[in-house]
Amino acid sequence: PSDKILEVLNHEHTEAVLRMAGVNHKGAHVSEVLLDSTSFERFKMRLPWLILGMFGGVLSAIVIGLFEETLAKQLILAAFVPTIVYMADAVGSQSQMLFIRALSVEHNLNIKKYIAKEFIVNFFIGIALATLIFFVSLVWVKDIVVSTILATSILITVCFTIVVALTLPLLFRAKGYDPAIASGPLSTVVHDGLSLCIYLVVASLMLG
């Protein structure tokens, strides 16, 4: 019956949203999670992924600490860390959500063809963003080396982000888990760490 179909669709959609938000409901009915759960139960559902995110932040701080000398040479580079991290998260989230949706809609999805298409799309996105950040930072900072570091980092980050965005859902699906789990806090931690490493390594190489 149509009302049952709508009930199932609503349940699955809400479940996916909860997982993307890092709420671990362990098979509980959606209505129990949203309305009937106690404060302590909500605390237990939300805490694990948040702890993971905190350790991801600590790991990012360690990475930045390892490149302290590089940042000291061009202190302005530190001001662009949020930009690099945000772009990695934003591009990664877009790619991952679209991929998870494609997996759920098309069960016989041609993975190789889809990945090849996404690489092309992300490459041109990376080129566009890198060009934009190059000229914006050049007008502001007036240092072509800093602008080149930013542009190169953005381009490489966007290209590598697609690897994480598509690999995590495939790994979860291969292990029998819902790929939507990969689009939550876990992917954010991975994207943050990867983007910081790329940015600081590029800066170190270009600044000698």
Side-chain angles (χ1 to χ4, degrees):
S2 59
D3 59 330
K4 289 296 181 183
I5 293 173
L6 289 173
E7 183 181 339
V8 171
L9 287 172
N10 181 60
H11 178 88
E12 290 296 319
H13 174 72
T14 309
E15 185 179 72
V17 171
L18 289 171
R19 285 177 172 168
M20 287 161 55
V23 177
N24 181 25
H25 53 91
K26 294 184 178 179
H29 195 274
V30 171
S31 63
E32 296 175 8
V33 176
L34 297 177
L35 301 174
D36 303 330
S37 57
T38 66
S39 297
F40 183 67
E41 287 171 340
R42 293 192 182 198
F43 166 78
K44 289 193 299 181
M45 287 187 291
R46 294 173 60 181
L47 187 62
W49 286 114
L50 295 175
I51 291 175
L52 175 65
M54 184 182 69
F55 280 110
V58 172
L59 180 61
S60 297
I62 293 172
V63 171
I64 292 174
L66 293 174
F67 291 90
E68 187 176 350
E69 292 183 9
T70 300
L71 293 174
K73 291 180 181 178
Q74 281 285 2
L75 192 58
I76 192 64
L77 291 174
F80 287 97
V81 167
T83 304
I84 300 294
V85 171
Y86 169 76
M87 292 313 308
D89 288 342
V91 174
S93 296
Q94 283 183 346
S95 300
Q96 204 162 58
M97 287 180 184
L98 290 172
F99 184 47
I100 291 170
R101 181 62 179 162
L103 287 174
S104 64
V105 171
E106 180 56 66
H107 297 291
N108 296 318
L109 181 68
N110 187 327
I111 303 294
K112 290 183 179 179
K113 184 178 180 181
Y114 185 93
I115 291 176
K117 186 182 294 185
E118 276 298 297
F119 265 109
I120 294 172
V121 172
N122 269 37
F123 176 75
F124 284 108
I125 288 174
I127 291 291
L129 293 174
T131 303
L132 186 60
I133 195 68
F134 178 85
F135 287 108
V136 169
S137 60
L138 189 61
V139 170
W140 177 33
V141 182
K142 296 179 175 59
D143 188 322
I144 195 168
V145 175
V146 170
S147 297
T148 303
I149 290 171
L150 289 167
T152 305
S153 300
I154 286 286
L155 177 59
I156 296 174
T157 296
V158 169
C159 291
F160 269 87
T161 293
I162 188 68
V163 177
V164 177
L166 301 185
T167 300
L168 284 179
L170 287 175
L171 288 175
F172 273 88
R173 191 176 74 158
K175 294 294 182 180
Y177 297 107
D178 188 343
I181 300 172
S183 65
L186 177 61
S187 64
T188 300
V189 170
V190 176
H191 289 144
D192 288 356
L194 179 64
S195 60
L196 274 175
C197 287
I198 291 172
Y199 179 45
L200 295 174
V201 167
V202 169
S204 295
L205 293 174
M206 290 194 176
L207 294 175

